[in-house]
Amino acid sequence: MSERGRPRTFDRTAALRRAMQVFWARGYEGASMSELTAAMGINSPSLYAAFGSKEALFLEATDFYSHTEGADIWLALDEAPTARLAIEQFLCLTAKAYSQNDRPQGCLITLGALHQDSSRGAICDDLRRRRAENHSALQKRLERGVAEGELPADFDSNAAATFFATVQHGMSIQARDGASHDALLATVAGAMAAWRTLAGGSAA
Amino acid sequence: MSERGRPRTFDRTAALRRAMQVFWARGYEGASMSELTAAMGINSPSLYAAFGSKEALFLEATDFYSHTEGADIWLALDEAPTARLAIEQFLCLTAKAYSQNDRPQGCLITLGALHQDSSRGAICDDLRRRRAENHSALQKRLERGVAEGELPADFDSNAAATFFATVQHGMSIQARDGASHDALLATVAGAMAAWRTLAGGSAA
DNA sequence: CTCCTTTTGTAACGATCGATACATAAATAT
DNA sequence: ATATTTATGTATCGATCGTTACAAAAGGAG
């Protein structure tokens, strides 16, 4: 399409990945433009020409995060044969992803911007929307378990989805506190211990 | 002791409470000195004379928070007759406190400063230490339950404390997303559903 | 009263924040 | 070839950040 003009000398996707890592580690407000441009290996005019603004860069970085780092955790939901295994794998993959040492601990969507501000409304709203989508994905998978007879008809998929989503949010903070993979799995075990009770006493 | 010099014209404790509310709503880095002095009703020189620095003010504000807002939640732990009731009340009081509309949602200790930075190391470390103390309080209460025979001898108090602490952390984010009291209680119900499994199948 | 100590308000400090003006460089279009 | 378009590097913008000098004000001590 547009091949005119001087060609860009940096890899836009690679730069976006670097920006994502900075936002992931520092949060939206904690990531300064100096740190971003340094990590991306470009000067600020190039950043603004390619991404528009710090806010637009963050929105694009979180979208990139969802499609790369956060993808496999949620893909496992629909692939698992039962709702129980789906939730268990969802939490186990979370425990693994949140405790890797070669990247920031915890989740960008969860920790990226928690404090509302007049100038940060769009950022908070976008992350909130993404978290709501995650809750919805959990709820839908549980409802499928009800439809398939795995879970009783009066199973509260909404309440259970809220519980498991909240556990995952807590694991982000636990991971930020330096929790090991095993410590995160202790939380997973606790959450899964609730399963048989929530599922109505019928052991899977 | 020292009554010399011009007397202070503002209530130091009241100003500290206002500062706590600002830090609670905005986080450490999101709370600017302008917003702090405006909320406290004083000018910056008065703030620095009375509290030292923004960092020292935050540390004092979190300590004030622990002794006021966060006190009753943890007091209930030791007063409850059984470990099960202790955990349940702990979580229910959390759900109530986190969903009040006359104050910021969620917990200052949990949400105050999650992103490590070269200049914020002391802040993060202090909050981390307070979260570790909370975990320790939960663990000690569960160990008491083991000692009193309420819980089996092989009960993993450390793992269970990690689980319940993580649930509480997640509730802070859930509350920040606007969750109602009832929604938070759904999470509490999920966490308590794990109890009978964790306690070794013996229903309380 | 005159010292001495401490607080107060004004006004500003250097540093950094996110964001740009501008001239130059490097490509395509005609 | 010249014109056009886009990217790059330098150098900086106004605003705000956390912090502080400074002098006037308000109390006790002598």
Side-chain angles (χ1 to χ4, degrees):
Chain A
M1 41 184 79
S2 70
E3 297 277 349
R4 297 246 305 240
R6 177 173 175 174
R8 185 177 284 129
T9 59
F10 64 93
D11 184 338
R12 193 182 188 278
T13 303
L16 181 59
R17 175 179 292 109
R18 297 293 188 87
M20 175 197 72
Q21 293 168 343
V22 173
F23 282 129
W24 193 356
R26 305 270 188 234
Y28 176 72
E29 51 189 353
S32 69
M33 292 301 299
S34 331
E35 195 175 1
L36 285 166
T37 53
M40 298 164 82
I42 59 178
N43 297 113
S44 29
S46 298
L47 189 154
Y48 280 90
F51 300 100
S53 68
K54 185 188 178 186
E55 183 170 312
L57 175 61
F58 181 85
L59 295 177
E60 200 167 339
T62 53
D63 199 65
F64 186 79
Y65 176 89
S66 295
H67 288 81
T68 56
E69 306 290 336
D72 58 333
I73 290 180
W74 297 96
L75 282 180
L77 260 191
D78 292 330
E79 293 174 358
T82 67
R84 189 195 203 286
L85 282 173
I87 296 293
E88 188 169 28
Q89 286 186 22
F90 159 76
L91 290 174
C92 285
L93 287 174
T94 294
K96 185 177 178 185
Y98 285 11
S99 58
Q100 297 293 316
N101 285 340
D102 60 346
R103 69 196 79 169
Q105 283 88 4
C107 171
L108 171 59
I109 307 298
T110 305
L111 303 172
L114 286 166
H115 305 288
Q116 190 101 30
D117 187 330
S118 56
S119 68
R120 274 191 298 277
I123 300 294
C124 286
D125 290 348
D126 183 74
L127 292 185
R128 234 195 291 264
R129 180 184 57 78
R130 296 190 120 93
R131 289 194 289 265
E133 284 177 4
N134 291 345
H135 177 281
S136 182
L138 286 172
Q139 182 173 345
K140 280 197 170 53
R141 184 58 187 90
L142 293 168
E143 285 171 349
R144 189 182 129 193
V146 175
E148 293 175 348
E150 176 190 354
L151 292 165
D154 65 343
F155 182 82
D156 191 340
S157 297
N158 180 26
T162 297
F163 168 62
F164 290 115
T166 300
V167 168
Q168 195 200 30
H169 294 159
M171 289 170 69
S172 271
I173 294 173
Q174 192 188 349
R176 272 292 151 107
D177 281 353
S180 66
H181 186 206
D182 284 348
L184 287 165
L185 285 181
T187 296
V188 173
M192 292 311 297
W195 184 269
R196 70 186 69 181
T197 302
L198 293 177
S202 69
Chain B
M1 42 184 74
S2 72
E3 297 276 351
R4 299 246 304 240
R6 179 173 174 172
R8 185 177 285 131
T9 58
F10 64 93
D11 184 337
R12 193 181 188 279
T13 302
L16 181 59
R17 177 179 290 108
R18 298 294 190 87
M20 174 197 73
Q21 292 168 343
V22 174
F23 281 129
W24 194 355
R26 304 267 188 236
Y28 176 72
E29 49 188 356
S32 69
M33 292 300 299
S34 331
E35 195 175 1
L36 285 165
T37 52
M40 299 165 81
I42 59 178
N43 297 112
S44 30
S46 299
L47 190 154
Y48 280 90
F51 299 99
S53 68
K54 186 188 177 185
E55 183 169 312
L57 175 61
F58 181 85
L59 295 176
E60 199 167 338
T62 54
D63 199 65
F64 186 80
Y65 176 89
S66 294
H67 288 81
T68 55
E69 305 291 336
D72 58 333
I73 289 181
W74 297 98
L75 282 181
L77 260 191
D78 292 329
E79 293 174 356
T82 67
R84 189 195 202 288
L85 284 173
I87 297 294
E88 189 169 27
Q89 286 186 22
F90 158 75
L91 290 174
C92 285
L93 287 174
T94 294
K96 186 178 179 185
Y98 285 11
S99 59
Q100 298 293 318
N101 285 340
D102 60 346
R103 70 196 77 168
Q105 284 88 4
C107 170
L108 171 59
I109 308 297
T110 305
L111 303 172
L114 285 166
H115 305 288
Q116 189 101 28
D117 188 330
S118 55
S119 68
R120 274 190 299 277
I123 299 295
C124 287
D125 289 348
D126 183 72
L127 292 184
R128 235 195 289 265
R129 179 184 57 78
R130 296 190 119 92
R131 290 193 289 265
E133 284 178 3
N134 291 345
H135 176 280
S136 182
L138 286 172
Q139 182 173 345
K140 282 198 168 52
R141 185 59 186 89
L142 292 168
E143 286 171 348
R144 188 182 130 195
V146 175
E148 292 175 350
E150 176 191 353
L151 291 165
D154 65 343
F155 183 82
D156 192 339
S157 296
N158 180 26
T162 297
F163 168 63
F164 290 115
T166 300
V167 168
Q168 194 200 29
H169 294 160
M171 288 170 70
S172 271
I173 294 174
Q174 192 187 348
R176 273 293 152 106
D177 280 354
S180 66
H181 187 205
D182 284 348
L184 287 164
L185 285 180
T187 295
V188 174
M192 292 312 297
W195 184 269
R196 71 185 67 180
T197 302
L198 292 178
S202 68

